[in-house]
Amino acid sequence: MSQQRPFNFMKHPDLFKAMSGLSAGFEHATLEHSLIELVKLRASQINGCGFCVDMHSKDARLEGETEQRLYLLSVWREAPGIYNDRERAALAWTEAVTKLENQHVPDAVYDQARAQFSDEELARLTLAVVAINGWNRFNIAFNVPAGNYKAGSLKAMRAQAS
């Protein structure tokens, strides 16, 4: 069993604000909010961040995402009719940027993303991937347990911090 490592971002508002500040670069962009939630959830699955998987699946569900799409996200390539081309490009980009296998994002993944996203959108999508990877690392490093997140409470925390 993992050691308890109490950490509460609200006791460190400057850290919470810094991490939350990354979101400002993509939350009000032309990227669909549902797409950003899928990206956050998929990166969190890859990284094994139980807290973030719990959070983003609950928030996505609260905002209307279907159970089927949430259940199939980890195998999105095997579910071609479930996700549209833009979502599939974003998921491929998310996986490549999260894993950085051989310190490289394959050209085919870049080409797929560029076919769906403008230069600005791709930069903002990349920032979303960077941000969720950062949150994953905080939560994994401090063994933040999964299962207790209340849907929609992240918005309340951000409002309290600002």
Side-chain angles (χ1 to χ4, degrees):
M1 177 168 239
S2 293
Q3 171 188 54
Q4 292 281 333
R5 299 177 188 170
F7 183 78
N8 180 343
F9 259 109
M10 298 318 288
K11 291 182 180 178
H12 308 280
D14 58 325
L15 295 177
F16 184 80
K17 186 174 182 177
M19 287 298 296
S20 294
L22 292 174
S23 300
F26 60 84
E27 284 190 343
H28 302 291
T30 58
L31 298 169
E32 301 87 340
H33 187 71
S34 60
L35 181 133
I36 294 297
E37 283 300 320
L38 291 175
V39 162
K40 290 176 181 179
L41 183 53
R42 183 64 191 126
S44 298
Q45 290 172 336
I46 292 166
N47 290 324
C49 183
F51 179 82
C52 291
V53 168
D54 182 48
M55 171 190 287
H56 295 295
S57 63
K58 287 175 179 175
D59 282 350
R61 196 175 289 118
L62 179 69
E63 295 184 18
E65 189 58 77
T66 68
E67 295 292 317
Q68 182 183 38
R69 285 168 46 94
L70 293 174
Y71 296 149
L72 292 172
L73 187 59
S74 65
V75 293
W76 64 269
R77 285 182 178 83
E78 288 76 33
I82 303 297
Y83 306 97
N84 66 36
D85 290 342
R86 188 168 163 93
E87 290 166 337
R88 294 173 69 75
L91 293 170
W93 186 254
T94 298
E95 289 182 359
V97 172
T98 296
K99 294 177 183 178
L100 288 176
E101 293 175 3
N102 301 313
Q103 295 74 46
H104 174 74
V105 172
D107 291 341
V109 173
Y110 174 78
D111 292 342
Q112 180 184 11
R114 283 298 291 128
Q116 296 297 321
F117 299 99
S118 68
D119 288 343
E120 180 178 342
E121 288 175 326
L122 189 56
R124 293 181 187 280
L125 177 62
T126 304
L127 183 60
V129 175
V130 168
I132 191 58
N133 275 281
W135 284 111
N136 290 166
R137 278 143 181 81
F138 260 103
N139 289 313
I140 291 168
F142 288 101
N143 289 337
V144 178
N148 296 321
Y149 178 78
K150 303 290 185 231
S153 63
L154 177 62
K155 287 181 182 178
M157 285 175 57
R158 284 189 176 149
Q160 182 183 357
S162 53

